[in-house]
Amino acid sequence: FNPVGLIFGLLVAQQFVLKNLKSDDISDFSALDEASKILIKTSDLMVIRNPYVILGLVIIGVFVLFLVSKMPQSKDEGTTP
């Protein structure tokens, strides 16, 4: 699963994170006033945070599914060859 996770992670970063960053669209970030800088930084942090929150919720969902579902009982007939 490592290669699949690597490719999926790169696609998520490209499609959902890098395209939505506001700080990349500004040519001279230092020329902005402090309120604008804080607003842009907060917006960028939210964009970066969201995929991790979604991934965490999916993992919690899988753990809950494991806790709720019962493992099948193995049927040992007692015969050995």
Side-chain angles (χ1 to χ4, degrees):
F1 289 106
N2 282 339
V4 174
L6 176 70
I7 291 171
F8 184 68
L10 289 173
L11 287 175
V12 166
Q14 179 187 16
Q15 297 298 320
F16 297 108
V17 175
L18 294 177
K19 284 186 178 180
N20 294 326
L21 291 178
K22 304 275 190 229
S23 59
D24 285 346
D25 298 336
I26 299 169
S27 60
D28 191 15
F29 191 74
S30 62
L32 295 174
D33 61 342
E34 197 63 33
S36 297
K37 287 180 186 179
I38 291 172
L39 183 65
I40 291 170
K41 286 179 185 179
T42 304
S43 172
D44 285 352
L45 286 175
M46 296 297 261
V47 168
I48 293 169
R49 183 202 67 167
N50 289 341
Y52 289 106
V53 170
I54 293 169
L55 180 62
L57 292 174
V58 168
I59 290 172
I60 288 172
V62 170
F63 284 147
V64 168
L65 182 67
F66 284 154
L67 289 174
V68 172
S69 66
K70 301 270 185 192
M71 292 292 291
Q73 296 290 331
S74 65
K75 299 199 180 204
D76 188 16
E77 295 180 15
T79 59
T80 57

